[in-house]
């Protein structure tokens, strides 16, 4: 992995130790974000195949490219948590951990003797982040829940897509990613509570459906006060006008957000419709919403006569927010992405050069960094267990029992920090 240009290896979370007991998306993404900003993240995987994400989406030499991204800066320890010996290794890991992140179905860790009460007794200052489909209590707690289900229950699917078509999805696992962001936010708030001397550890209970629901703006009060059910609106932003995608002469689309009062007047001037810009009916958003079809038709009539570059140039001159709709081919060569280090050159273990996304957010004094890509399964088992006090003979005995598995010798990171 080529060194990140975004900052030193030691970030704002340096000294924070995170244990990740997660698979696939939500918990691993949360842990990845913390690892990028300096936390030591020890990822516990099952011996054999490890995290199923290793085989998801496009593979190179048998390993998912998504895996290399999702697990960068992490250490992989292969532990069979179904065996008592494996459970004991996890307990030892918890002794000096600050955060544990997991996304098992509620009750699973309790059956393995690794629930909150057991772990709190070992480390009272532990922050245990628990991500599940429906939360740790309530009538749905034991149901299996993936991001798609959370998106549906949280209200997002009902409002996504064209009005005359079935509910659509965004094309990414947005429910899982939103849960991951809420998980990091909760973990950091709980850590601040401890570091400020105001209390001890606690559980951060994050559900997929609630993380999606938290994004749904004024959905509930609008229904309660007006019996209004927000539904699918295609490319338009409901209740805010004008804000939509509009066709150009070459068949592409442009996003135009002319919903501020002054912006709307400038937009109408740019398209030659000063009559609409000065119309008192359209002076504020509530009036424009009532006449949104007329406004959209006027904008469409103008954009459909011009090339995309002509449309964006004219709207830029008028200081109207607008933008082309980017594909990944647009993203990787865009000067703004490149200027902000959002496309990072990376090198896979076999030497293949691959572009990877950069780090968000940007911190001026303690930025995040990429030190290494996702590790081989069990790559750090031996070194981590040795640090926990296991002797070489004990480690070999655990390997023989199938409680742990060792991978390749741990690689030294390319941009500082110890593996």
């Amino acid at each position: 992995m080529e060194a990140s240009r975004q900052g030193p290896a030691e970030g704002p979370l340096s000294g924070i130790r995170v244990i990740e007991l997660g698979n696939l998306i939500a918990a691993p993404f949360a842990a990845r974000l913390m690892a990028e900003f300096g936390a030591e993240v020890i990822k516990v995987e099952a011996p054999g195949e490890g995290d199923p994400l290793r085989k998801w989406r496009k593979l190179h030499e048998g390993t998912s490219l998504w895996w290399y991204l999702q697990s960068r800066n992490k250490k992989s320890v292969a532990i069979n948590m179904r065996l008592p010996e494996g459970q004991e290794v996890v307990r030892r890991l918890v002794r000096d951990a600050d955060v544990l992140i997991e996304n098992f179905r509620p009750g699973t860790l309790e059956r393995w003797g690794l629930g909150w009460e057991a772990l709190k007794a070992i480390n009272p200052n532990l922050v245990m982040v628990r991500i599940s489909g429906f939360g740790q209590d309530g009538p749905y707690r034991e149901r299996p829940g993936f991001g798609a289900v959370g998106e549906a229950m949280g209200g997002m699917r009902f409002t996504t897509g064209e009005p005359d078509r079935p509910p659509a999805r965004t094309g990414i696992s947005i429910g899982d990613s939103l849960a991951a962001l809420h998980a990091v936010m909760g973990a950091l708030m709980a850590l601040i509570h401890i570091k400020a001397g105001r209390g001890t550890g606690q559980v951060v209970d994050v559900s997929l459906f609630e993380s999606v629901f938290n994004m749904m703006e004024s959905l509930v009060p609008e229904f309660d006060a007006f019996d209004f059910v927000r539904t699918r609106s295609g490319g338009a932003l409901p209740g805010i006008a004008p804000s939509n995608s509009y066709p150009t002469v070459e068949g592409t689309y442009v996003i135009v957000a002319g919903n501020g009062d002054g912006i709307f007047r400038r937009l109408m001037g740019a398209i030659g419709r000063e009559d609409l810009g000065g119309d008192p009916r359209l002076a504020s958003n509530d009036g424009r919403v009532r006449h949104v079809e007329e406004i959209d038709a006027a904008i469409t009539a103008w954009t459909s006569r011009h090339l995309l570059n002509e449309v964006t140039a004219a709207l830029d001159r008028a200081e109207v927010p607008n933008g082309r709709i980017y594909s990944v081919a647009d993203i990787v060569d865009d000067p703004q992405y490149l200027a902000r280090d959002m496309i990072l050159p990376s090198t896979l273990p076999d030497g293949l050069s691959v572009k990877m996304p950069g780090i968000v957010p940007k911190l001026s004094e303690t930025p995040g960094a990429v030190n290494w890509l996702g590790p081989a399964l069990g790559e750090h088992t031996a070194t981590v267990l040795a640090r926990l006090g296991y002797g070489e003979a004990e480690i070999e005995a655990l390997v023989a029992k199938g409680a742990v598995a060792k991978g390749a010798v741990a690689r030294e990171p390319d941009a500082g920090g110890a593996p």
Side-chain angles (χ1 to χ4, degrees):
M1 168 73 207
E2 296 185 22
S4 166
R5 294 172 288 169
Q6 301 191 50
E10 186 168 305
L13 296 182
S14 177
I16 299 297
R17 182 166 290 161
V18 178
I19 310 302
E20 180 198 312
L21 308 182
N23 287 315
L24 296 176
I25 304 174
F29 185 30
R32 167 196 148 190
L33 294 173
M34 300 187 77
E36 289 173 343
F37 285 92
E40 180 192 24
V41 174
I42 300 172
K43 179 178 178 62
V44 174
E45 300 184 75
E49 293 298 321
D51 190 330
L53 192 74
R54 289 178 177 273
K55 300 294 183 183
W56 274 32
R57 299 268 172 82
K58 298 293 186 180
L59 308 185
H60 173 71
E61 299 294 333
T63 299
S64 165
L65 295 176
W66 192 2
W67 164 260
Y68 286 120
L69 168 66
Q70 188 82 309
S71 300
R72 58 191 184 188
N73 292 5
K74 298 181 186 179
K75 301 174 181 178
S76 173
V77 178
I79 302 173
N80 187 343
M81 290 189 291
R82 290 175 170 79
L83 296 181
E85 295 85 354
Q87 295 159 7
E88 178 57 28
V89 176
V90 173
R91 294 187 190 99
R92 289 207 199 182
L93 284 171
V94 165
R95 287 177 186 173
D96 61 355
D98 298 286
V99 179
L100 183 145
I101 304 176
E102 63 96 2
N103 62 346
F104 287 97
R105 195 184 303 186
T108 300
L109 290 184
E110 281 74 11
R111 291 194 296 272
W112 294 341
L114 300 173
W116 168 241
E117 294 301 325
L119 299 186
K120 179 177 67 173
I122 298 170
N123 181 354
N125 283 329
L126 180 70
V127 174
M128 187 175 190
V129 181
R130 314 200 71 172
I131 306 175
S132 62
F134 306 97
Q136 298 298 310
D137 53 23
Y140 301 168
R141 69 181 293 269
E142 294 185 1
R143 290 184 182 179
F146 269 33
V149 179
E151 294 159 25
M153 184 174 174
M156 184 174 289
R157 290 293 184 96
F158 196 79
T159 62
T160 303
E162 296 295 332
D164 59 345
R165 299 180 188 178
R169 69 177 303 157
T170 61
I172 59 171
S173 304
I174 189 68
D176 291 287
S177 297
L178 288 173
L181 294 174
H182 283 86
V184 172
M185 180 170 60
L188 295 180
M189 288 190 287
L191 284 173
I192 291 171
H193 180 72
I194 295 170
K195 301 302 181 182
R198 294 197 293 266
T200 58
Q202 59 183 300
V203 172
V204 177
D205 182 356
V206 177
S207 77
L208 295 173
F209 88 90
E210 288 167 329
S211 298
V212 173
F213 180 62
N214 201 29
M215 300 292 102
M216 297 308 296
E217 303 171 346
S218 54
L219 190 77
V220 167
E222 289 174 356
F223 172 73
D224 192 47
F226 304 115
D227 203 29
F228 175 71
V229 177
R230 193 185 303 180
T231 185
R232 296 178 289 288
S233 57
L237 187 60
I240 301 173
S243 184
N244 209 333
S245 57
Y246 302 90
T248 64
V249 70
E250 71 262 53
T252 60
Y253 285 82
V254 60
I255 298 294
V256 180
N259 42 284
D261 296 346
I263 296 173
F264 174 72
R265 290 191 292 272
R266 296 197 299 273
L267 170 60
M268 292 300 101
I271 70 172
R273 293 300 306 268
E274 289 83 356
D275 58 317
L276 294 179
D279 190 332
R281 300 176 305 156
L282 313 179
S284 60
N285 183 68
D286 57 338
R288 292 193 295 273
V289 168
R290 289 194 292 270
H291 300 280
V292 66
E293 292 183 2
E294 179 184 0
I295 295 170
D296 277 346
I299 300 171
T300 297
W302 177 74
T303 60
S304 61
R305 296 196 305 268
H306 297 279
L307 297 171
L308 174 63
N309 288 341
E310 295 173 340
V311 170
T312 58
L315 296 181
D316 285 344
R317 288 193 297 270
E319 298 184 349
V320 173
N322 71 93
R324 60 189 294 183
I325 298 175
Y326 279 46
S327 72
V328 67
D330 301 313
I331 287 171
V332 296
D333 291 325
D334 184 84
Q336 186 68 12
Y337 273 88
L338 298 176
R340 291 181 57 79
D341 284 335
M342 285 310 300
I343 305 297
L344 294 180
S346 309
T347 305
L348 300 187
D350 68 345
L352 180 69
S353 178
V354 176
K355 295 174 181 177
M356 291 281 180
I359 295 175
V360 181
K362 310 294 186 187
L363 276 63
S364 64
E365 302 302 321
T366 55
V370 179
N371 298 327
W372 65 86
L373 297 183
L377 177 60
E379 182 172 330
H380 302 91
T381 299
T383 55
V384 170
L385 265 60
R387 190 179 69 191
L388 295 177
Y390 286 93
E392 186 174 340
E394 291 177 291
I395 295 174
E396 293 303 326
L398 289 172
V399 171
K401 289 183 178 180
V404 304
K406 293 190 297 182
V409 176
R411 295 164 287 167
E412 291 296 323
D414 293 319

